[in-house]
């Protein structure tokens, strides 16, 4: 359990709106290593209406093959996963296991950028309680655009799932209050860089961790780190 975990990163080249080439991916890996990250979850976007699960997995493997031959031992270990955009019927999808973080039943789920309906909440509840997935809701701060979705988040936070807050959310003064609220909302928050490139969306986990330490204390940060390690495959714990 040396170092820290980045649970949300678009480091695989040519997969989505993240890294555009191997060189950028290496730069992201180097930036994460400098910030003390020892494990990074490669969570490229998956959209059910754009490609099948098998097409996504083939593209992801090809991207990783292009990268892993130049990914040096001093860089963070990479775990393949996906940022799965919510789709109708996801609760009964039989292919979700292959989109989870490899070696786990941990699924990073991106909810719709709209006011959630009851049936959408029921799909998430079904995944958590009936199918026993460890659901991580990606960047919930982006859904807090009205009081209804805040209440919906409070409902979901009562489930045994996790909320993944982006590092930049606690860094920007405009969103810091929301970020701190979300860190407190659920007992086991997850932090991710959601890095895409080396310019506008570079990783800022070290700075975010400093803010969390100052705002919420060393014990809170330590417990958050331990909780994130528990989500990884046994070989990493």
């Amino acid at each position: 359990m040396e170092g820290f975990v980045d649970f949300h990163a678009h480091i695989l080249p040519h997969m989505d709106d993240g890294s555009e080439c191997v060189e950028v991916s290496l730069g992201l890996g180097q930036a994460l290593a400098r910030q003390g990250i020892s494990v990074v979850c490669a969570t490229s976007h998956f959209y059910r209406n754009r490609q099948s699960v098998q097409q996504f997995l083939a593209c992801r493997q090809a991207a990783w093959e292009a990268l892993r031959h130049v990914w040096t031992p001093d860089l963070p270990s990479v775990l393949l996963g996906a940022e799965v955009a919510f789709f109708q019927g996801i609760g009964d999808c039989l292919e979700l296991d292959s989109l989870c973080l490899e070696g786990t039943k941990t699924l990073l789920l991106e909810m719709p950028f709209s006011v959630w309906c009851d049936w959408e909440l029921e799909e998430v509840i079904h995944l958590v309680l009936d199918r026993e997935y460890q659901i991580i809701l990606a960047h919930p701060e982006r859904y807090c655009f009205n009081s209804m979705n805040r209440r919906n988040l409070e409902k979901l936070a009562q489930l045994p799932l996790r909320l993944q807050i982006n590092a930049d959310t606690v860094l920007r003064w405009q969103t810091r209050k929301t970020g701190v609220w979300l860190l407190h909302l659920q007992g086991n928050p997850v932090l991710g860089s959601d890095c895409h490139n080396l310019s506008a969306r570079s990783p800022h986990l070290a700075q975010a961790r400093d803010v969390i330490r100052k705002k919420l204390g060393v014990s809170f940060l330590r417990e958050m780190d331990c909780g994130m390690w528990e989500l990884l495959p046994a070989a990493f714990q």
Side-chain angles (χ1 to χ4, degrees), residues 15 93 121 179 197:
M15 276 296 294
C93 178
L121 298 180
N197 52 53

Side-chain angles (χ1 to χ4, degrees), residues 4 7 10 28 30 37 50 53 56 69 79 94 113-114 123 161 170 174 187 191 194 206 208 222 226 234:
F4 312 111
F7 250 95
H10 297 265
L28 289 170
Q30 292 160 0
I37 302 302
R50 297 183 186 179
V53 172
F56 171 83
H69 296 294
L79 281 173
L94 300 179
F113 292 94
S114 59
E123 293 256 30
L161 51 67
V170 298
Q174 301 98 323
L191 191 66
D194 198 4
R222 185 181 299 116
C226 289

Side-chain angles (χ1 to χ4, degrees), residues 22 45 48 66 96 122 124-125 160 180 185 211-212:
V22 168
H45 285 290
R48 182 63 177 266
L96 286 185
E122 288 298 326
V124 178
I125 293 169
V180 171
L185 182 60
V211 171
I212 294 171

Side-chain angles (χ1 to χ4, degrees), residues 177-233:
K177 183 177 180 180
T178 298
V180 171
W181 173 69
L182 288 166
L183 286 166
H184 272 299
L185 182 60
Q186 209 277 340
N188 295 292
V190 174
L191 191 66
S193 69
D194 198 4
C195 61
H196 281 60
N197 52 53
L198 295 169
S199 53
R201 301 187 69 177
S202 58
H204 301 124
L205 285 166
Q207 300 97 310
R209 290 175 55 80
D210 284 341
V211 171
I212 294 171
R213 184 183 298 108
K214 292 173 183 176
K215 292 288 184 180
L216 301 175
V218 174
S219 295
F220 183 96
L221 187 63
R222 185 181 299 116
E223 290 178 10
M224 183 181 71
D225 286 332
C226 289
M228 289 195 286
W229 280 104
E230 290 171 357
L231 293 170
L232 301 185

Side-chain angles (χ1 to χ4, degrees), residues 12-13 22 26 61-73 78:
L12 295 183
V22 168
L26 286 174
Q61 188 60 36
W64 175 230
E65 289 297 324
L67 182 59
R68 72 181 184 90
H69 296 294
V70 295
W71 196 262
T72 53
V78 177

Side-chain angles (χ1 to χ4, degrees), residues 11-66:
I11 62 168
L12 295 183
H14 309 296
M15 276 296 294
D16 50 21
D17 59 342
S19 173
E20 62 185 16
C21 61
V22 168
E23 290 73 23
V24 169
S25 297
L26 286 174
L28 289 170
Q30 292 160 0
L32 290 169
R34 289 193 295 270
Q35 294 175 38
I37 302 302
S38 56
V39 178
V40 57
C41 302
T43 50
S44 302
H45 285 290
F46 171 75
Y47 299 103
R48 182 63 177 266
N49 62 339
R50 297 183 186 179
Q51 59 185 163
S52 69
V53 172
Q54 292 307 312
Q55 288 171 331
F56 171 83
L57 294 176
C59 291
R60 188 182 70 179
Q61 188 60 36
W64 175 230
E65 289 297 324

Side-chain angles (χ1 to χ4, degrees), residues 147-158:
S147 58
M148 178 64 75
N149 263 15
R150 281 178 172 259
R151 287 195 294 271
N152 285 332
L153 272 171
E154 289 172 344
K155 290 178 183 177
L156 291 181
Q158 297 176 37

